[in-house]
Amino acid sequence: MRRSLILTMLLVLSAILCGCSDSRAFSFTQAQTRSVASTGPATTQMTQKETGWEAAVQTVLNYYGDINQKKYEEAYTTWQGNGSASGQSYKQFKRGYANTVAVSVLVGESNEQGAIQVPVRLISVVNEPAANKQGVRQYAGTYTVRHTDEGWRIASANISRVSYVLPPRELSTPTRLLDSYYREINRRQFARAYTYWEDLGKASNQSFAQFEHGYADTDNVVVSLGKPRLEGAAGSLFASVPVDIVATNKNQTKQSFRGTYVLRRSDIPPFDKFGWRIYSAQIKQTSSSG
């Protein structure tokens, strides 16, 4: 029984950290109406220069990706000055994450004035050796990211422990997640929407810049959601949600899409406190009108 539980937890954690999915995100553009069926990793080449905000967001997400994969040296050197901007030695930095099992990240609203600040809400599952259990801690604040001779690096952080209801309301059900996802897209808060995909956005099989550029010519999106169909497997719950989508481009032409999102959340405490994330999508264009 114990061996079975350990195996199940390892499978769940693997899914959280790897974002194992053959899907890709899709976006609506006037210039490029590509097939959006989930047939494999996206192959779209970047045709626009990555903006400072896009690079800063990706830096923070890569940072926590390294933390989740226990790549502490890579995470440490994401801080400016080969890690010195963290205010810690590498040994101190690594020790600080000794009990961290996994971190979920939600990015807040964009701010590109001066040094780029990336707002985040962090939900961490941590080991609590004294209590012989795992618990959840939450943090919120901002990372300041700059472009240096080393590349994009974290220059400073203002992060504090907070207490919010878990899971976050927008991640508490499959329909709330997808409603929030398209609301953020219409508000052009693409970083927030990107982190609704599993594995810090990686489940979309696009970088954040690719994801954001895909909506460059989109004015607004209207989505109609069908009834979620729930299934359980290996410590996870999966929800298949049928969708009908109408995207209006900036030149007021319209494109219609239909398909299914698959969302996932862990069914094992305390990982269930992360809430739902988008696991995959199979969406195809059905019509286009001028």
Side-chain angles (χ1 to χ4, degrees), residues 75-134:
Y76 182 66
T77 55
T78 302
W79 287 85
Q80 192 173 330
N82 201 34
S84 64
S86 69
Q88 302 175 86
S89 68
Y90 170 63
K91 187 175 181 179
Q92 292 170 321
F93 177 85
K94 183 178 179 180
R95 188 185 306 127
Y97 284 103
N99 291 320
T100 300
V101 180
V103 183
S104 172
V105 181
L106 289 173
V107 175
E109 296 191 3
S110 60
N111 178 357
E112 293 190 66
Q113 298 177 356
I116 299 173
Q117 294 185 329
V118 180
V120 295
R121 176 179 174 181
L122 308 173
I123 306 170
S124 298
V125 170
V126 298
N127 291 321
E128 298 177 348
N132 194 29
K133 67 176 186 178
Q134 291 180 324

Side-chain angles (χ1 to χ4, degrees), residues 16-25 41-42 58 61-69 71 194-208 278-279:
I16 291 171
L17 301 185
C18 298
C20 301
S21 168
D22 64 356
S23 67
R24 64 183 184 187
Q58 195 66 63
L61 294 178
N62 289 347
Y63 173 70
Y64 278 103
D66 287 335
I67 294 295
N68 283 339
Q69 296 179 55
K71 296 180 179 179
Y194 183 69
T195 49
Y196 286 167
W197 285 85
E198 196 165 80
D199 193 25
L200 309 180
K202 288 183 180 178
S204 69
N205 281 329
Q206 296 183 91
S207 69
F208 170 54
I278 301 172
Y279 179 81

Side-chain angles (χ1 to χ4, degrees), residues 261-275:
Y261 279 100
V262 176
L263 289 73
R264 193 197 74 85
R265 78 166 176 83
S266 171
D267 201 25
I268 297 178
F271 295 99
D272 58 333
K273 299 300 184 183
F274 286 157

Side-chain angles (χ1 to χ4, degrees), residues 202-262:
K202 288 183 180 178
S204 69
N205 281 329
Q206 296 183 91
S207 69
F208 170 54
Q210 289 172 318
F211 178 83
E212 183 172 49
H213 289 174
Y215 288 99
D217 293 321
T218 304
D219 183 58
N220 67 81
V221 182
V222 176
V223 61
S224 298
L225 305 178
K227 184 178 180 180
R229 181 171 57 85
L230 298 178
E231 294 181 356
S236 293
L237 281 178
F238 292 89
S240 298
V241 185
V243 294
D244 284 294
I245 301 163
V246 178
T248 302
N249 297 316
K250 290 182 178 179
N251 66 357
Q252 298 308 299
T253 59
K254 294 181 183 294
Q255 295 172 302
S256 297
F257 301 83
R258 174 170 291 175
T260 303
Y261 279 100
V262 176

